Amino acid sequence: NDSRKSNNKNSNNNNRRTVHMALPFVLCPPKKGTKGGILRRPGAPHRLDKPTSGLMVVAKTKVAMVSLYEQFRKRQIQKIYTAIINGNPLLQLSQQEERKQHYHGDDIINNNDDDDEWNLINYPLGGKYAITSWKVLRQSQSYNANKDSMISMIQIRLHTGRYHQIRRHFAWIVRRPLVGDHLYVPQRIQAHHFRKRGLYLCSNGIAFQHPISGKRTEITIDIPKRFEKLMNAEENWAVSLSNRNNIFSLPNLIAKQ
């Protein structure tokens, strides 16, 4: 009985360790007289996976909550993600129709980009249609990667919001899973070097209609420093190994003699 009580207590404590529970302690309450019906506690009309970092929209009034919830329900809110994946995703899509398709339905952040840079994944998840578009930002040779000897930093646009959509699309369809994803990545693909580094997925941009003013609001943040740090480290390691191999290559040894 004592063990059951302790297990229940631990599970209850873990359930309380959520962003929703922490919001009242990290946000200032609305000023007195704020219109729209002040909520007893701030709420988020959407969610991020626990290992995902980045932006969340939070409402402090009933009017804001209803407005944001409806925008999410109608898919009027656009989100940008940055991720690092195992391998080169262009190799998987080089002979597929997905690369020839482009999604024009959203007025999304930085929509001035050339459409030819973006690739589309249009594949249902859980019996529901799911659309993800992406483009490569940077690639680095990686001797620690088990896939293509390369890692890629990509930018992602979500056009639908299915459960673990990004992680499942890249693991199952592109077959180039996210670095640090323990749930959808076989051990033979996820290099041991990357397994304890956490998930490399960040929600770094969001655009929505302001609930009160009605104006389009765009918010972006810098990606975590560990993203660039990983890319630089893998690139430097690959260059150093390449230089070392060149030094000890047969032509160089003959020349020294």
Side-chain angles (χ1 to χ4, degrees), residues 4-232:
R4 290 181 181 178
K5 290 181 180 179
S6 62
N7 290 334
N8 290 334
K9 184 177 180 180
N10 291 333
S11 63
N12 290 335
N13 289 335
N14 290 332
N15 290 335
R16 294 191 185 116
R17 295 173 186 172
T18 63
V19 172
H20 180 73
M21 298 301 296
L23 288 176
F25 303 98
V26 297
L27 296 178
C28 296
K31 296 180 181 179
K32 291 184 178 180
T34 298
K35 297 181 180 180
I38 298 176
L39 293 171
R40 292 184 59 185
R41 60 186 306 133
H46 68 118
R47 53 169 291 178
L48 286 179
D49 296 338
K50 187 176 180 180
T52 304
S53 60
L55 293 167
M56 285 191 69
V57 178
V58 176
K60 295 182 179 181
T61 65
K62 296 178 181 178
V63 169
M65 177 63 86
V66 171
S67 173
L68 292 170
Y69 178 80
E70 283 299 304
Q71 290 182 61
F72 272 107
R73 188 180 68 83
K74 296 178 180 179
R75 310 195 192 288
Q76 296 172 341
I77 292 181
Q78 292 88 48
K79 300 177 72 177
I80 290 287
Y81 290 80
T82 299
I84 296 180
I85 63 174
N86 291 273
N88 181 2
L90 298 176
L91 294 179
Q92 177 68 14
L93 298 182
S94 60
Q95 297 179 348
Q96 294 182 5
E97 283 296 316
E98 281 81 356
R99 288 199 69 189
K100 299 179 182 178
Q101 301 178 27
H102 304 290
Y103 194 83
H104 301 283
D106 292 340
D107 178 20
I108 214 156
I109 299 173
N110 298 327
N111 201 28
N112 295 324
D113 296 333
D114 184 359
D115 280 334
D116 290 337
E117 296 180 359
W118 289 90
N119 303 277
L120 184 72
I121 305 170
N122 187 353
Y123 193 87
L125 296 172
K128 299 180 180 179
Y129 77 97
I131 300 174
T132 304
S133 56
W134 59 273
K135 69 175 181 178
V136 174
L137 298 177
R138 179 184 175 187
Q139 292 182 308
S140 174
Q141 188 176 6
S142 173
Y143 287 100
N144 291 310
N146 287 352
K147 195 74 173 178
D148 307 326
S149 297
M150 179 180 289
I151 57 174
S152 303
M153 181 184 293
I154 58 174
Q155 190 174 83
I156 302 165
R157 295 172 176 173
L158 275 185
H159 305 288
T160 53
R162 307 305 177 202
Y163 180 70
H164 289 176
Q165 178 173 319
I166 294 174
R167 297 165 68 179
R168 291 198 286 174
H169 265 170
F170 280 93
W172 297 349
I173 310 306
V174 184
R175 298 181 183 177
R176 301 305 189 274
L178 273 62
V179 170
D181 191 346
H182 296 278
L183 188 58
Y184 297 105
V185 184
Q187 289 189 1
R188 60 184 176 82
I189 295 179
Q190 184 74 275
H192 180 76
H193 182 74
F194 297 144
R195 289 177 191 168
K196 296 183 179 180
R197 292 174 173 263
L199 184 67
Y200 279 80
L201 178 62
C202 176
S203 171
N204 60 306
I206 191 167
F208 56 93
Q209 184 180 16
H210 193 281
I212 306 301
S213 67
K215 294 181 179 180
R216 180 176 171 83
T217 302
E218 296 184 1
I219 302 172
T220 59
I221 60 172
D222 294 332
I223 60 174
K225 293 182 180 179
R226 68 190 184 100
F227 282 55
E228 291 290 349
K229 186 177 180 180
L230 176 63
M231 297 296 294
N232 292 337

Side-chain angles (χ1 to χ4, degrees), residues 239-256:
V239 170
S240 65
L241 285 181
S242 178
N243 292 338
R244 186 184 304 173
N245 291 336
N246 289 335
I247 292 174
F248 292 100
S249 63
L250 183 59
N252 287 333
L253 291 177
I254 295 174
K256 288 182 180 179

